[in-house]
Amino acid sequence: MEYLLIFISAIFVNNIVLSQFLGICPFLGVSKKVDTALGMAAAVAFVLTLSTLVTFLIQKYVLDALGLGYLQTITFILVIAALVQMVEIILKKVSPALYQALGVFLPLITTNCCVLGVAILVIQKQYDLLTGVVYAFSTALGFGLALTIFAGIREQLSLVSIPKGMQGTPITLITAGLLAMAFMGFSGVVKLA
């Protein structure tokens, strides 16, 4: 039951983009088309889950064991960057088709603050390994859901007549705010600290 609550909460109630404001750069930058949004969502789901697993193990068995907890942020940044590069190299060799599909998005994930944010949140919330991975995957699904919905709305907005002063960034930010308010409607569904 705990995993189900974490799953629902991470996707809808505490959405990483719309509630915690992490990952705003790709949310605004890669959300012009649904196809690119889905590609980015898949890449983030893969990297976010894998990096949370690796950073959790490094935190527990290296940083905490050696009393180097103060190096958490810099260590996590280096691990995530190295992990993304490794995934990119492996995908290039093993599956060129998947590399072509995700290859454009993998370098962007290195600078996606939601990946670092989730890795740190898993440690701060004192999750165990399985709970942390469930939380990371659920958070990635929530990111993907918000990104895909936002991309669909932006595609529709490109087909309608918008006043000149509202075109571009203003309508994008207003739409993101309305989407965040819509997701706030889920806050009564799950009460989770």
Side-chain angles (χ1 to χ4, degrees), residues 2-123:
E2 178 189 358
Y3 297 124
L4 182 62
L5 289 175
I6 289 172
F7 186 77
I8 292 170
S9 177
I11 293 174
F12 298 109
V13 180
N14 296 321
N15 188 287
I16 197 79
V17 175
L18 301 174
S19 175
Q20 298 177 19
F21 307 112
L22 292 173
I24 294 291
C25 186
F27 180 71
L28 295 174
V30 188
S31 61
K32 292 184 180 175
K33 294 187 187 248
V34 173
D35 293 341
T36 56
L38 288 172
M40 182 64 160
V44 166
F46 181 71
V47 170
L48 188 61
T49 306
L50 189 60
S51 67
T52 299
L53 177 72
V54 172
T55 55
F56 178 89
L57 294 173
I58 288 174
Q59 177 72 37
K60 293 298 176 193
Y61 297 111
V62 177
L63 297 178
D64 288 348
L66 298 174
L68 299 172
Y70 60 91
L71 292 175
Q72 179 189 57
T73 303
I74 191 71
T75 304
F76 284 12
I77 290 170
L78 293 172
V79 166
I80 290 167
L83 194 61
V84 169
Q85 291 302 313
M86 231 176 13
V87 167
E88 190 172 2
I89 291 168
I90 290 169
L91 281 179
K92 198 178 217 181
K93 298 271 186 202
V94 174
S95 178
L98 186 59
Y99 173 75
Q100 288 297 332
L102 299 179
V104 176
F105 304 112
L106 284 172
L108 291 175
I109 295 171
T110 305
T111 59
N112 188 345
C113 62
C114 105
V115 178
L116 176 63
V118 169
I120 291 173
L121 283 172
V122 165
I123 301 302

Side-chain angles (χ1 to χ4, degrees), residues 120-166:
I120 291 173
L121 283 172
V122 165
I123 301 302
Q124 286 179 347
K125 293 181 182 216
Q126 297 179 347
Y127 286 150
D128 59 33
L129 182 60
L130 181 58
T131 307
V133 170
V134 167
Y135 174 74
F137 184 70
S138 303
T139 300
L141 288 179
F143 176 83
L145 177 67
L147 186 65
T148 305
I149 291 172
F150 191 56
I153 293 170
R154 286 184 74 180
E155 279 187 2
Q156 289 298 316
L157 284 174
S158 69
L159 301 175
V160 298
S161 177
I162 298 172
K164 187 167 178 66
M166 294 295 291

